[in-house]
């Protein structure tokens, strides 16, 4: 029964998927392409591409898409595919939901404990480092292009980067508005 | 002894409703909006949460968001969803967690299903590709922006600036998993508190206005 398999597979991925969306994608690939043969590597690559381009966390996007494709590829109708999507998405969220509830409870209870305070004194600066790393890791030719490959796209990307920073830091414009503007600039200029 | 680090009480702001009402101020609709515009991975959600939930609605403080990011990163599962669960739980208990999670994943779910059902050539569409060339550098800057504010909130000075620098460097250059950076930093903080700062008062008291200062 494919729904049970989907549930089990994605529950495990949710439970052991440390390290964010990209780490999860390699786990999903191992399970659904290599292990269960629910889809080809090419189909999976397409799913990852769409998951990166659409709004929402990459882990949720790929679980939703993989759930649908797995059911349809094994002979299910479209509505059964939707059920597959729901199963995979629910299963991937469930472990963290349970774990986070337990952790939240403890955290809210003990956050004033001196030892917990000390731990967070170390953690807070480290999280700033994580945020900086997330940003550095995204500064790739994939996202900005390169001066040699496409000078036009590169310099406009740099201009978008700088103006977004100014819009957020100096003028405190809502990030959603800035995103929409940049999408429009992309449509007009590229 | 309990340090004087009373984090701002969120009760001075009206608590959000679970589902509807209050002009879109509910947990579900707030996270739906955030989920809808989280493009490019979990960290892209941070600037949106910062703008909407920390600055505008003041449901949590910037410092709580920092703590929460450390916890969400070291837990299994999806970073953005973990954050939604915690905020929902903190504000309205288990029901709140359920609503914020649903709100956060619903846009993904609906959009992906729409693509799977009707628009399978989505990633090859030239209009979509163009819009994304504009969005990508914007997302990178959106993630860069809160880094500076967070640095202020984490009270980074000359004594501890090496922590974020080393952490970012290890992740960026050597591909170290962020989880190890979190574990090391937490352990370091613990040991520091236990053996070095044991006699002196623990963490510096957090100034009440630390978060509001920069908002004019």
């Amino acid at each position: 029964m494919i729904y049970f398999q989907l549930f089990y597979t994605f529950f495990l991925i949710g439970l052991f998927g440390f390290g964010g969306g990209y780490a999860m994608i390699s786990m999903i690939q191992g399970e659904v392409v290599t292990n269960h043969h629910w889809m080809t590597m090419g189909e999976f690559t397409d799913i990852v591409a769409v998951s990166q381009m659409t709004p929402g966390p990459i882990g949720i996007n790929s679980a939703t898409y993989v759930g649908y494709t797995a059911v349809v590829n094994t002979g299910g109708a479209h509505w059964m595919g939707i059920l597959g999507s729901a199963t995979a998405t629910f299963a991937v969220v469930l472990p963290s939901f349970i774990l986070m509830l337990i952790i939240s409870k403890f955290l809210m209870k003990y956050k004033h404990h001196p030892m917990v305070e000390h731990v967070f004194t170390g953690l807070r600066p480290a999280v700033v480092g994580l945020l900086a790393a997330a940003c550095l890791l995204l500064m790739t030719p994939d996202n900005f292009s390169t001066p040699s490959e496409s000078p036009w796209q590169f310099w406009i990307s740099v201009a978008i980067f700088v103006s977004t920073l100014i819009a957020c830091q100096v003028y405190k414009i809502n990030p959603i508005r800035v995103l929409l503007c940049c999408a429009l600039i992309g449509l007009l200029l590229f | 002894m309990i340090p004087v680090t009373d984090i701002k009480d969120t009760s001075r702001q009206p608590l959000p409703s679970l589902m509807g009402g209050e002009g879109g101020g509910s947990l579900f609709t707030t996270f739906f909006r955030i989920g809808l515009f989280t493009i490019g991975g979990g960290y892209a959600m941070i600037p949106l949460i910062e703008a909407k939930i920390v600055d505008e609605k003041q449901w949590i403080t910037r410092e709580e968001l920092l703590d929460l990011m450390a916890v969400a990163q070291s837990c299994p599962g999806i970073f953005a969803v973990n954050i939604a669960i915690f905020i929902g739980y903190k504000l309205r208990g288990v029901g709140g967690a359920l609503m914020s999670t649903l709100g956060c994943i619903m846009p993904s779910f609906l959009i992906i299903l729409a693509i799977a059902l009707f628009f399978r050539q989505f990633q090859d569409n030239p209009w979509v590709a163009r819009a994304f060339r504009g969005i990508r550098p914007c997302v990178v800057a959106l993630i860069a922006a809160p880094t500076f504010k967070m640095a202020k909130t984490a009270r980074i000075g000359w004594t501890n600036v090496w922590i974020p620098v080393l952490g970012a460097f290890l992740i960026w250059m050597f591909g170290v998993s962020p989880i190890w950076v979190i574990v090391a930093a937490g352990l370091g903080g613990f040991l520091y508190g236990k053996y070095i700062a044991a006699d002196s008062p623990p963490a510096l008291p957090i100034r009440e206005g630390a978060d509001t200062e920069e908002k004019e």
Side-chain angles (χ1 to χ4, degrees):
Chain A
M1 178 82 179
I2 186 137
Y3 296 112
F4 284 116
Q5 285 179 328
L6 269 177
F7 183 86
Y8 181 69
T9 306
F10 277 95
F11 189 84
L12 288 185
I13 289 169
L15 189 59
F16 296 108
F18 283 96
Y22 290 97
M24 230 174 221
I25 281 177
S26 66
M27 283 179 79
I28 298 178
Q29 183 203 330
E31 284 298 317
V32 303
V33 181
T34 319
N35 202 4
H36 288 288
H37 303 291
W38 281 328
M39 63 197 65
T40 64
M41 195 56 216
E43 282 177 298
F44 185 75
T45 312
D46 281 351
I47 287 181
V48 173
V50 172
S51 302
Q52 287 170 327
M53 291 169 79
T54 45
I58 291 164
I60 297 290
N61 290 345
S62 43
T64 306
Y65 211 155
V66 164
Y68 175 86
T69 315
V71 172
V72 171
N73 278 0
T74 49
H78 286 303
W79 67 268
M80 290 164 82
I82 296 173
L83 209 60
S85 280
T87 310
T89 310
F90 176 67
V92 84
V93 170
L94 190 60
S96 39
F97 192 79
I98 298 167
L99 270 173
M100 277 304 287
L101 281 190
I102 298 169
I103 291 169
S104 310
K105 211 173 172 127
F106 274 98
L107 197 68
M108 281 159 66
K109 196 167 171 191
Y110 294 109
K111 78 175 176 196
H112 291 306
H113 189 280
M115 242 40 246
V116 177
E117 269 299 324
H118 281 306
V119 170
F120 276 106
T121 316
L123 285 180
R124 281 174 204 142
V127 171
V128 177
L130 295 195
L131 210 54
C135 175
L136 288 171
L137 285 172
L138 285 171
M139 291 193 177
T140 57
D142 224 22
N143 289 337
F144 282 84
S145 188
T146 53
S148 54
E149 189 191 314
S150 161
W152 171 254
Q153 193 191 332
F154 177 77
W155 290 112
I156 290 185
S157 298
V158 171
I160 289 177
F161 179 85
V162 173
S163 17
T164 303
L165 264 187
I166 294 171
C168 288
Q169 291 290 91
V170 183
Y171 297 102
K172 316 229 182 287
I173 298 170
N174 186 299
I176 294 176
R177 271 187 212 158
V178 181
L179 262 176
L180 291 174
C181 284
C182 292
L184 193 69
I185 292 172
L187 281 177
L188 293 174
L189 295 182
F190 290 132
Chain B
M1 114 188 198
I2 292 166
V4 226
T5 54
D6 224 341
I7 285 166
K8 258 191 281 173
D9 192 2
T10 42
S11 59
R12 60 205 170 72
Q13 286 291 322
L15 278 180
S17 68
L18 291 180
M19 192 68 202
E22 287 174 42
S26 77
L27 274 170
F28 180 83
T29 47
T30 304
F31 274 95
F32 190 93
R33 261 175 68 110
I34 290 174
L36 191 59
F37 290 96
T38 301
I39 299 172
Y43 275 92
M45 194 166 141
I46 299 302
L48 304 178
I49 291 193
E50 207 196 13
K52 194 80 192 170
I53 292 181
V54 176
D55 289 339
E56 187 185 318
K57 297 198 184 281
Q58 302 187 358
W59 285 343
I60 63 169
T61 63
R62 191 163 276 116
E63 186 166 79
E64 282 175 296
L65 181 57
L66 262 182
D67 294 356
L68 173 52
M69 283 166 66
V71 174
Q73 183 74 60
S74 35
C75 285
I78 293 145
F79 180 74
V81 176
N82 286 351
I83 288 192
I85 295 169
F86 184 92
I87 295 177
Y89 180 76
K90 180 178 184 277
L91 296 172
R92 292 295 305 261
V94 177
L98 205 63
M99 278 304 148
S100 58
T101 310
L102 268 181
C104 175
I105 63 179
M106 207 44 102
S108 300
F109 188 73
L110 297 177
I111 291 169
I112 290 285
L113 270 188
I115 289 174
L117 286 168
F118 310 111
F119 196 36
R120 299 207 81 151
Q121 271 70 52
F122 176 79
Q123 76 265 40
D124 303 321
N125 184 296
W127 291 96
V128 173
R130 274 197 228 161
F132 269 89
R133 266 177 234 148
I135 287 175
R136 283 191 195 138
C138 170
V139 168
V140 184
L142 283 182
I143 298 175
T147 311
F148 300 110
K149 271 190 229 161
M150 293 289 192
K152 217 173 181 181
T153 312
R155 280 173 294 128
I156 288 179
W158 290 111
T159 50
N160 62 355
V161 71
W162 60 275
I163 302 175
V165 171
L166 181 69
F169 194 69
L170 285 175
I171 298 168
W172 183 43
M173 293 304 287
F174 297 102
V176 174
S177 164
I179 296 167
W180 297 118
V181 175
I182 291 281
V183 169
L187 201 65
F190 178 79
L191 293 175
Y192 178 82
K194 195 163 170 141
Y195 295 109
I196 298 170
D199 305 323
S200 53
L204 292 163
I206 290 155
R207 286 165 301 145
E208 254 308 301
D211 266 329
T212 40
E213 259 171 28
E214 63 216 51
K215 282 192 296 180
E216 279 103 48

